[in-house]
Amino acid sequence: MRAVWVSVVMALLLGPVAARAETLGISTVHRPDYPSVQAMAEMSRLVAERTAGRIRLAIQPKSGDTESFTLQQVRTGRLAMAAVDVSNLHDLVPATVALSLPYLFESDEHVERTLDGPIGRQILASLDDVGLVGLCFYDPGFRSIMARRPIRGVADMKDLTVGVPLSDLAQATVQAMGGRTVPLPSRLVHEAIKARLVDATEENPSAYLSAFLASRQRTATGIYSLTRHARPPEVLVVSKAVWQLLSPDDRKILRAAARESVAIQRQLRLEREDSARTTAAAFGVEIVADVDRQALAEATAPVFARYAADPLVKALVARIRAAASVP
């Protein structure tokens, strides 16, 4: 498959005749029914339409590679594009840490003001320094705990073994909440729960439905507790090496289509969450809403302070908090 991505770059290098029909691949770990994947499919349609078929986006869903490996491939130009969790950029671009801090975002509107406004644009622009062009953010919703027992506070997290993403901040957050963490690539989390190697995991409702309720693994965890402890977005990136080979007009088309896909992804996410609740009820999955999030936020405050100590992150946090109260 990687030969396809390499051939894309080679076609671009060979000039306008060879590059008349360019195919830019987009790698993602998510399934085809996931909101961001569906949004990228619409983006692909818009790009093909507006370039009269000269540029097409080929989405590679459910990639078997880790997101960190995929990101490195995009940075070197071996892959054209990818949608990855922003946590994969923490070590490369410190500004991205602000978007993953626990209990920072208060609502959908707060997230949208942050990602769509000057803060989001600043963070996307900062990716330029690491060989990437940031096109947009996709908001997957709040992450919460899926387990075999209800989580209503810190005490319920004690001795709970939780599968978490390969992110130091995600691990520190769940540990501060009282759990024991097992870092796992996303493709292994569900099998780990099914095999009882971990007691729980943390995910957003869309992923919960896609990975559990829509599969035989739906019985692996019967309780979804709305801890809503973090809300790291996905970020859609393009290899800077590939981007520089595109014409200014084609860059504008890609940026515009990406922006339009954001609204589609958000609508699909909301529909997906409604569907998740309905399907969960049908399968007897318990959704716990009476969670003491204030206590959990207080427990994770030291983690927040440690990861927000960087002056750049600290300044971004202040601006993000200010955005919560914008009328």
Side-chain angles (χ1 to χ4, degrees), residues 33-35 38 108 139-140 205-206 209 263-279:
D33 63 348
Y34 196 69
Q38 293 182 329
D108 287 357
D139 169 30
S206 294
L209 177 67
I264 295 167
Q265 184 270 337
R266 287 174 182 167
Q267 181 59 39
L268 290 171
R269 177 183 66 79
L270 293 174
E271 293 173 2
R272 190 75 171 170
E273 289 186 2
D274 287 341
S275 176
R277 283 189 287 269
T278 301
T279 308

Side-chain angles (χ1 to χ4, degrees), residues 72-196:
Q72 181 59 26
Q73 297 296 292
V74 176
R75 291 181 66 202
T76 59
R78 295 192 65 190
L79 294 180
M81 302 174 66
V84 299
D85 188 289
V86 76
S87 64
N88 293 281
L89 287 158
H90 288 174
D91 291 338
L92 294 169
V93 184
T96 61
V97 171
L99 301 178
S100 302
L101 291 168
Y103 293 103
L104 176 59
F105 291 110
E106 299 181 8
S107 64
D108 287 357
E109 294 75 18
H110 186 196
V111 172
E112 291 172 13
R113 282 194 291 269
T114 299
L115 299 181
D116 296 348
I119 298 171
R121 289 194 292 272
Q122 177 185 335
I123 295 174
L124 287 176
S126 67
L127 305 187
D128 185 75
D129 294 335
V130 295
L132 299 168
V133 175
L135 292 183
C136 66
F137 291 109
Y138 293 128
D139 169 30
F142 285 110
R143 299 179 77 88
S144 291
I145 299 291
M146 301 179 289
R148 295 184 178 86
R149 68 184 188 221
I151 305 299
R152 293 186 169 88
V154 176
D156 297 319
M157 290 288 293
K158 185 178 180 182
D159 297 327
L160 191 72
T161 303
V162 185
V164 297
L166 302 174
S167 159
D168 291 344
L169 177 51
Q171 293 175 54
T173 296
V174 172
Q175 288 168 4
M177 292 167 68
R180 295 195 301 257
T181 58
V182 178
L184 294 166
S186 59
R187 70 181 187 278
L188 298 181
V189 169
H190 311 132
E191 290 300 325
I193 290 179
K194 191 175 180 181
R196 294 185 177 268

Side-chain angles (χ1 to χ4, degrees), residues 215-231:
S215 76
R216 293 179 180 178
Q217 295 178 24
R218 60 177 176 264
T219 57
T221 58
I223 303 173
Y224 188 51
S225 300
L226 302 180
T227 54
R228 295 177 176 171
H229 51 273
R231 197 159 174 166

Side-chain angles (χ1 to χ4, degrees), residues 183-260:
L184 294 166
S186 59
R187 70 181 187 278
L188 298 181
V189 169
H190 311 132
E191 290 300 325
I193 290 179
K194 191 175 180 181
R196 294 185 177 268
L197 300 176
V198 296
D199 304 315
T201 187
E202 48 99 56
E203 237 338 329
N204 62 71
S206 294
Y208 181 69
L209 177 67
S210 183
F212 289 87
L213 301 179
S215 76
R216 293 179 180 178
Q217 295 178 24
R218 60 177 176 264
T219 57
T221 58
I223 303 173
Y224 188 51
S225 300
L226 302 180
T227 54
R228 295 177 176 171
H229 51 273
R231 197 159 174 166
E234 288 181 81
V235 59
L236 179 61
V237 295
V238 185
S239 168
K240 192 174 179 180
V242 172
W243 185 257
Q244 290 173 336
L245 295 169
L246 298 174
S247 71
D249 286 344
D250 286 343
R251 294 177 190 177
K252 289 179 182 178
I253 289 171
L254 280 174
R255 283 196 186 278
R259 285 195 299 270
E260 291 175 47

Side-chain angles (χ1 to χ4, degrees), residues 49-65:
E49 178 183 274
R50 293 169 186 177
T51 63
R54 285 187 302 100
I55 299 178
R56 297 184 181 275
L57 307 182
I59 301 169
Q60 182 190 6
K62 207 177 176 185
S63 166
D65 294 327

